Amino acid sequence: MSTRTALVTIALLLLAIAIVSPHGSSSKGPYHADIVRTPGVLNPDVTQGKINSTICVRGWTKTIRPPTSYTNDLKKRQMREYRVGGSLSDYQEDHLISLELGGHPAAPRHLGPEPYPRASDVDSIENELNAKVCARELSLDDAQRNESELKHIDG
């Protein structure tokens, strides 16, 4: 299967998931990121050619991370929109593509509430993908695609 065919297949699968489950979950359990509400937005400053001056620099994500006041306000609104229950502390306002892999820091269509403990589990996977990209074991594009699939398909 060609890369183009695989991407089209994934896109159609994600669209089908969005149609079948357009409102996420009403529980605190794991659920898929909503492809319509949270399709993902990449940081234009992060490319394969710039990883040594961005995502592979220790502490770089701290320089671009949005303030908690912004993400908490967004999380409150999105929890209502996505119809998920629980308190703010039950969720992490998560970047679809982590900052460690070149996700946009503050775009609302790139952030969404992800329930704990799933959010913590996914954080470790994001760190592993970043390490592979920085070690040149995985391309940035492949790592971003893996993370998007993890959050859109695996929940």
Side-chain angles (χ1 to χ4, degrees):
M1 180 184 302
S2 73
T3 301
R4 184 178 173 95
T5 303
L7 290 175
V8 169
T9 302
I10 290 168
L12 290 172
L13 176 62
L14 294 174
L15 181 60
I17 291 168
I19 291 168
V20 171
S21 180
H23 302 297
S25 169
S26 60
S27 73
K28 293 187 298 185
Y31 63 94
H32 300 85
D34 186 323
I35 187 70
V36 175
R37 290 185 177 106
T38 314
V41 180
L42 296 177
N43 183 340
D45 296 332
V46 179
T47 63
Q48 185 70 46
K50 294 181 181 177
I51 62 172
N52 286 334
S53 61
T54 57
I55 66 169
C56 295
V57 174
R58 186 171 177 85
W60 179 79
T61 60
K62 290 179 186 176
T63 68
I64 62 165
R65 188 172 302 282
T68 305
S69 59
Y70 172 78
T71 56
N72 277 344
D73 287 345
L74 185 59
K75 182 172 24 172
K76 285 179 204 174
R77 187 181 83 215
Q78 289 176 335
M79 285 176 67
R80 285 190 303 271
E81 290 172 0
Y82 298 14
R83 299 182 191 159
V84 294
S87 68
L88 286 180
S89 63
D90 292 332
Y91 297 87
Q92 171 180 296
E93 187 65 2
D94 188 55
H95 294 86
L96 182 77
I97 303 298
S98 63
L99 298 179
E100 294 90 335
L101 292 175
H104 194 282
R109 292 178 48 83
H110 187 67
L111 288 149
E114 185 173 44
Y116 287 108
R118 174 69 178 162
S120 298
D121 296 340
V122 170
D123 285 347
S124 65
I125 294 169
E126 293 166 351
N127 292 335
E128 290 172 16
L129 289 170
N130 172 269
K132 287 182 178 183
V133 169
C134 294
R136 307 300 191 274
E137 296 172 10
L138 187 65
S139 73
L140 179 62
D141 287 344
D142 286 343
Q144 290 169 340
R145 187 171 20 267
N146 288 346
E147 186 172 13
S148 177
E149 290 173 4
L150 172 71
K151 293 181 181 177
H152 280 134
I153 297 172
D154 292 341

PDB file of all heavy atoms in Angstrom, residues 111-135:
ATOM      1  N   LEU A 111      -5.952  21.573  20.789  1.00  0.00           N
ATOM      2  CA  LEU A 111      -6.001  21.206  22.206  1.00  0.00           C
ATOM      3  C   LEU A 111      -7.348  20.589  22.546  1.00  0.00           C
ATOM      4  O   LEU A 111      -8.372  20.954  21.965  1.00  0.00           O
ATOM      5  CB  LEU A 111      -5.790  22.453  23.070  1.00  0.00           C
ATOM      6  CG  LEU A 111      -4.362  22.996  23.072  1.00  0.00           C
ATOM      7  CD1 LEU A 111      -4.358  24.497  23.254  1.00  0.00           C
ATOM      8  CD2 LEU A 111      -3.577  22.317  24.170  1.00  0.00           C
ATOM      9  N   GLY A 112      -7.345  19.674  23.514  1.00  0.00           N
ATOM     10  CA  GLY A 112      -8.592  19.078  23.958  1.00  0.00           C
ATOM     11  C   GLY A 112      -8.399  18.390  25.293  1.00  0.00           C
ATOM     12  O   GLY A 112      -7.284  18.019  25.661  1.00  0.00           O
ATOM     13  N   PRO A 113      -9.486  18.202  26.046  1.00  0.00           N
ATOM     14  CA  PRO A 113      -9.377  17.553  27.356  1.00  0.00           C
ATOM     15  C   PRO A 113      -9.126  16.049  27.210  1.00  0.00           C
ATOM     16  O   PRO A 113      -9.864  15.348  26.539  1.00  0.00           O
ATOM     17  CB  PRO A 113     -10.740  17.828  27.997  1.00  0.00           C
ATOM     18  CG  PRO A 113     -11.668  18.036  26.847  1.00  0.00           C
ATOM     19  CD  PRO A 113     -10.853  18.602  25.729  1.00  0.00           C
ATOM     20  N   GLU A 114      -8.052  15.590  27.830  1.00  0.00           N
ATOM     21  CA  GLU A 114      -7.735  14.167  27.822  1.00  0.00           C
ATOM     22  C   GLU A 114      -7.782  13.674  29.269  1.00  0.00           C
ATOM     23  O   GLU A 114      -7.147  14.259  30.141  1.00  0.00           O
ATOM     24  CB  GLU A 114      -6.349  13.926  27.230  1.00  0.00           C
ATOM     25  CG  GLU A 114      -6.013  12.455  27.097  1.00  0.00           C
ATOM     26  CD  GLU A 114      -4.715  12.219  26.353  1.00  0.00           C
ATOM     27  OE1 GLU A 114      -3.730  12.930  26.623  1.00  0.00           O
ATOM     28  OE2 GLU A 114      -4.693  11.307  25.515  1.00  0.00           O
ATOM     29  N   PRO A 115      -8.560  12.614  29.535  1.00  0.00           N
ATOM     30  CA  PRO A 115      -8.729  12.164  30.920  1.00  0.00           C
ATOM     31  C   PRO A 115      -7.473  11.512  31.490  1.00  0.00           C
ATOM     32  O   PRO A 115      -6.692  10.887  30.774  1.00  0.00           O
ATOM     33  CB  PRO A 115      -9.866  11.145  30.809  1.00  0.00           C
ATOM     34  CG  PRO A 115      -9.833  10.670  29.406  1.00  0.00           C
ATOM     35  CD  PRO A 115      -9.307  11.807  28.577  1.00  0.00           C
ATOM     36  N   TYR A 116      -7.291  11.707  32.793  1.00  0.00           N
ATOM     37  CA  TYR A 116      -6.275  10.961  33.531  1.00  0.00           C
ATOM     38  C   TYR A 116      -6.869   9.605  33.876  1.00  0.00           C
ATOM     39  O   TYR A 116      -8.075   9.494  34.038  1.00  0.00           O
ATOM     40  CB  TYR A 116      -5.900  11.701  34.828  1.00  0.00           C
ATOM     41  CG  TYR A 116      -5.077  12.937  34.602  1.00  0.00           C
ATOM     42  CD1 TYR A 116      -5.639  14.193  34.792  1.00  0.00           C
ATOM     43  CD2 TYR A 116      -3.749  12.847  34.202  1.00  0.00           C
ATOM     44  CE1 TYR A 116      -4.878  15.343  34.580  1.00  0.00           C
ATOM     45  CE2 TYR A 116      -2.995  13.991  33.991  1.00  0.00           C
ATOM     46  CZ  TYR A 116      -3.559  15.234  34.182  1.00  0.00           C
ATOM     47  OH  TYR A 116      -2.826  16.357  33.967  1.00  0.00           O
ATOM     48  N   PRO A 117      -6.151   8.545  33.960  1.00  0.00           N
ATOM     49  CA  PRO A 117      -4.698   8.437  33.864  1.00  0.00           C
ATOM     50  C   PRO A 117      -4.198   8.329  32.431  1.00  0.00           C
ATOM     51  O   PRO A 117      -2.991   8.296  32.199  1.00  0.00           O
ATOM     52  CB  PRO A 117      -4.373   7.174  34.647  1.00  0.00           C
ATOM     53  CG  PRO A 117      -5.562   6.300  34.445  1.00  0.00           C
ATOM     54  CD  PRO A 117      -6.747   7.258  34.390  1.00  0.00           C
ATOM     55  N   ARG A 118      -5.115   8.263  31.461  1.00  0.00           N
ATOM     56  CA  ARG A 118      -4.701   8.140  30.051  1.00  0.00           C
ATOM     57  C   ARG A 118      -3.708   9.235  29.673  1.00  0.00           C
ATOM     58  O   ARG A 118      -2.727   8.969  28.973  1.00  0.00           O
ATOM     59  CB  ARG A 118      -5.936   8.188  29.149  1.00  0.00           C
ATOM     60  CG  ARG A 118      -5.653   8.212  27.669  1.00  0.00           C
ATOM     61  CD  ARG A 118      -5.092   6.900  27.172  1.00  0.00           C
ATOM     62  NE  ARG A 118      -4.884   6.983  25.742  1.00  0.00           N
ATOM     63  CZ  ARG A 118      -4.110   6.163  25.070  1.00  0.00           C
ATOM     64  NH1 ARG A 118      -3.497   5.194  25.681  1.00  0.00           N
ATOM     65  NH2 ARG A 118      -3.957   6.300  23.782  1.00  0.00           N
ATOM     66  N   ALA A 119      -3.935  10.467  30.117  1.00  0.00           N
ATOM     67  CA  ALA A 119      -3.055  11.587  29.757  1.00  0.00           C
ATOM     68  C   ALA A 119      -1.621  11.317  30.201  1.00  0.00           C
ATOM     69  O   ALA A 119      -0.670  11.587  29.458  1.00  0.00           O
ATOM     70  CB  ALA A 119      -3.573  12.885  30.363  1.00  0.00           C
ATOM     71  N   SER A 120      -1.451  10.756  31.381  1.00  0.00           N
ATOM     72  CA  SER A 120      -0.107  10.453  31.887  1.00  0.00           C
ATOM     73  C   SER A 120       0.549   9.345  31.066  1.00  0.00           C
ATOM     74  O   SER A 120       1.752   9.400  30.776  1.00  0.00           O
ATOM     75  CB  SER A 120      -0.170  10.041  33.351  1.00  0.00           C
ATOM     76  OG  SER A 120      -0.685  11.096  34.127  1.00  0.00           O
ATOM     77  N   ASP A 121      -0.237   8.335  30.700  1.00  0.00           N
ATOM     78  CA  ASP A 121       0.295   7.240  29.883  1.00  0.00           C
ATOM     79  C   ASP A 121       0.764   7.755  28.527  1.00  0.00           C
ATOM     80  O   ASP A 121       1.825   7.384  28.039  1.00  0.00           O
ATOM     81  CB  ASP A 121      -0.764   6.155  29.670  1.00  0.00           C
ATOM     82  CG  ASP A 121      -1.175   5.469  30.954  1.00  0.00           C
ATOM     83  OD1 ASP A 121      -0.413   5.525  31.947  1.00  0.00           O
ATOM     84  OD2 ASP A 121      -2.269   4.878  30.968  1.00  0.00           O
ATOM     85  N   VAL A 122      -0.027   8.624  27.929  1.00  0.00           N
ATOM     86  CA  VAL A 122       0.306   9.163  26.618  1.00  0.00           C
ATOM     87  C   VAL A 122       1.527  10.083  26.704  1.00  0.00           C
ATOM     88  O   VAL A 122       2.354  10.109  25.791  1.00  0.00           O
ATOM     89  CB  VAL A 122      -0.906   9.891  25.994  1.00  0.00           C
ATOM     90  CG1 VAL A 122      -0.516  10.653  24.745  1.00  0.00           C
ATOM     91  CG2 VAL A 122      -2.001   8.875  25.667  1.00  0.00           C
ATOM     92  N   ASP A 123       1.683  10.807  27.812  1.00  0.00           N
ATOM     93  CA  ASP A 123       2.863  11.670  27.980  1.00  0.00           C
ATOM     94  C   ASP A 123       4.154  10.869  27.839  1.00  0.00           C
ATOM     95  O   ASP A 123       5.111  11.326  27.208  1.00  0.00           O
ATOM     96  CB  ASP A 123       2.840  12.386  29.333  1.00  0.00           C
ATOM     97  CG  ASP A 123       1.849  13.541  29.387  1.00  0.00           C
ATOM     98  OD1 ASP A 123       1.347  13.957  28.319  1.00  0.00           O
ATOM     99  OD2 ASP A 123       1.579  14.023  30.504  1.00  0.00           O
ATOM    100  N   SER A 124       4.184   9.674  28.400  1.00  0.00           N
ATOM    101  CA  SER A 124       5.408   8.867  28.311  1.00  0.00           C
ATOM    102  C   SER A 124       5.647   8.405  26.870  1.00  0.00           C
ATOM    103  O   SER A 124       6.796   8.335  26.421  1.00  0.00           O
ATOM    104  CB  SER A 124       5.369   7.689  29.279  1.00  0.00           C
ATOM    105  OG  SER A 124       4.360   6.790  28.941  1.00  0.00           O
ATOM    106  N   ILE A 125       4.585   8.115  26.144  1.00  0.00           N
ATOM    107  CA  ILE A 125       4.722   7.727  24.736  1.00  0.00           C
ATOM    108  C   ILE A 125       5.254   8.910  23.925  1.00  0.00           C
ATOM    109  O   ILE A 125       6.124   8.744  23.061  1.00  0.00           O
ATOM    110  CB  ILE A 125       3.369   7.229  24.175  1.00  0.00           C
ATOM    111  CG1 ILE A 125       2.958   5.933  24.883  1.00  0.00           C
ATOM    112  CG2 ILE A 125       3.442   7.035  22.656  1.00  0.00           C
ATOM    113  CD1 ILE A 125       1.529   5.498  24.607  1.00  0.00           C
ATOM    114  N   GLU A 126       4.747  10.116  24.207  1.00  0.00           N
ATOM    115  CA  GLU A 126       5.222  11.315  23.514  1.00  0.00           C
ATOM    116  C   GLU A 126       6.719  11.516  23.751  1.00  0.00           C
ATOM    117  O   GLU A 126       7.466  11.849  22.812  1.00  0.00           O
ATOM    118  CB  GLU A 126       4.447  12.539  23.994  1.00  0.00           C
ATOM    119  CG  GLU A 126       2.994  12.513  23.608  1.00  0.00           C
ATOM    120  CD  GLU A 126       2.136  13.539  24.348  1.00  0.00           C
ATOM    121  OE1 GLU A 126       2.628  14.186  25.300  1.00  0.00           O
ATOM    122  OE2 GLU A 126       0.964  13.676  23.964  1.00  0.00           O
ATOM    123  N   ASN A 127       7.160  11.301  24.973  1.00  0.00           N
ATOM    124  CA  ASN A 127       8.586  11.442  25.293  1.00  0.00           C
ATOM    125  C   ASN A 127       9.431  10.409  24.543  1.00  0.00           C
ATOM    126  O   ASN A 127      10.528  10.729  24.065  1.00  0.00           O
ATOM    127  CB  ASN A 127       8.819  11.331  26.794  1.00  0.00           C
ATOM    128  CG  ASN A 127       8.231  12.499  27.552  1.00  0.00           C
ATOM    129  OD1 ASN A 127       8.052  13.589  27.013  1.00  0.00           O
ATOM    130  ND2 ASN A 127       7.912  12.278  28.813  1.00  0.00           N
ATOM    131  N   GLU A 128       8.921   9.187  24.426  1.00  0.00           N
ATOM    132  CA  GLU A 128       9.636   8.141  23.684  1.00  0.00           C
ATOM    133  C   GLU A 128       9.737   8.503  22.201  1.00  0.00           C
ATOM    134  O   GLU A 128      10.795   8.316  21.584  1.00  0.00           O
ATOM    135  CB  GLU A 128       8.924   6.799  23.835  1.00  0.00           C
ATOM    136  CG  GLU A 128       9.024   6.203  25.229  1.00  0.00           C
ATOM    137  CD  GLU A 128       8.145   4.972  25.403  1.00  0.00           C
ATOM    138  OE1 GLU A 128       7.689   4.385  24.390  1.00  0.00           O
ATOM    139  OE2 GLU A 128       7.919   4.590  26.559  1.00  0.00           O
ATOM    140  N   LEU A 129       8.643   9.026  21.632  1.00  0.00           N
ATOM    141  CA  LEU A 129       8.671   9.421  20.225  1.00  0.00           C
ATOM    142  C   LEU A 129       9.660  10.562  20.003  1.00  0.00           C
ATOM    143  O   LEU A 129      10.409  10.556  19.022  1.00  0.00           O
ATOM    144  CB  LEU A 129       7.268   9.825  19.751  1.00  0.00           C
ATOM    145  CG  LEU A 129       6.261   8.688  19.593  1.00  0.00           C
ATOM    146  CD1 LEU A 129       4.860   9.238  19.373  1.00  0.00           C
ATOM    147  CD2 LEU A 129       6.663   7.770  18.437  1.00  0.00           C
ATOM    148  N   ASN A 130       9.686  11.528  20.924  1.00  0.00           N
ATOM    149  CA  ASN A 130      10.636  12.632  20.823  1.00  0.00           C
ATOM    150  C   ASN A 130      12.073  12.099  20.850  1.00  0.00           C
ATOM    151  O   ASN A 130      12.919  12.524  20.046  1.00  0.00           O
ATOM    152  CB  ASN A 130      10.416  13.635  21.957  1.00  0.00           C
ATOM    153  CG  ASN A 130      11.501  14.687  22.014  1.00  0.00           C
ATOM    154  OD1 ASN A 130      12.507  14.515  22.702  1.00  0.00           O
ATOM    155  ND2 ASN A 130      11.303  15.777  21.291  1.00  0.00           N
ATOM    156  N   ALA A 131      12.350  11.171  21.746  1.00  0.00           N
ATOM    157  CA  ALA A 131      13.701  10.605  21.843  1.00  0.00           C
ATOM    158  C   ALA A 131      14.093   9.917  20.538  1.00  0.00           C
ATOM    159  O   ALA A 131      15.238  10.049  20.083  1.00  0.00           O
ATOM    160  CB  ALA A 131      13.779   9.632  23.021  1.00  0.00           C
ATOM    161  N   LYS A 132      13.150   9.215  19.919  1.00  0.00           N
ATOM    162  CA  LYS A 132      13.438   8.529  18.651  1.00  0.00           C
ATOM    163  C   LYS A 132      13.694   9.531  17.523  1.00  0.00           C
ATOM    164  O   LYS A 132      14.567   9.320  16.684  1.00  0.00           O
ATOM    165  CB  LYS A 132      12.302   7.578  18.285  1.00  0.00           C
ATOM    166  CG  LYS A 132      12.262   6.348  19.151  1.00  0.00           C
ATOM    167  CD  LYS A 132      11.164   5.407  18.744  1.00  0.00           C
ATOM    168  CE  LYS A 132      11.197   4.163  19.622  1.00  0.00           C
ATOM    169  NZ  LYS A 132      10.199   3.182  19.223  1.00  0.00           N
ATOM    170  N   VAL A 133      12.920  10.619  17.500  1.00  0.00           N
ATOM    171  CA  VAL A 133      13.128  11.644  16.471  1.00  0.00           C
ATOM    172  C   VAL A 133      14.504  12.280  16.654  1.00  0.00           C
ATOM    173  O   VAL A 133      15.261  12.445  15.692  1.00  0.00           O
ATOM    174  CB  VAL A 133      12.012  12.718  16.507  1.00  0.00           C
ATOM    175  CG1 VAL A 133      12.359  13.913  15.629  1.00  0.00           C
ATOM    176  CG2 VAL A 133      10.678  12.112  16.073  1.00  0.00           C
ATOM    177  N   CYS A 134      14.837  12.628  17.877  1.00  0.00           N
ATOM    178  CA  CYS A 134      16.113  13.293  18.147  1.00  0.00           C
ATOM    179  C   CYS A 134      17.313  12.370  17.940  1.00  0.00           C
ATOM    180  O   CYS A 134      18.407  12.833  17.633  1.00  0.00           O
ATOM    181  CB  CYS A 134      16.107  13.902  19.550  1.00  0.00           C
ATOM    182  SG  CYS A 134      14.904  15.251  19.697  1.00  0.00           S
ATOM    183  N   ALA A 135      17.097  11.056  18.062  1.00  0.00           N
ATOM    184  CA  ALA A 135      18.153  10.077  17.803  1.00  0.00           C
ATOM    185  C   ALA A 135      18.190   9.678  16.324  1.00  0.00           C
ATOM    186  O   ALA A 135      18.984   8.823  15.934  1.00  0.00           O
ATOM    187  CB  ALA A 135      17.946   8.839  18.674  1.00  0.00           C
TER     188      ALA A 135
END
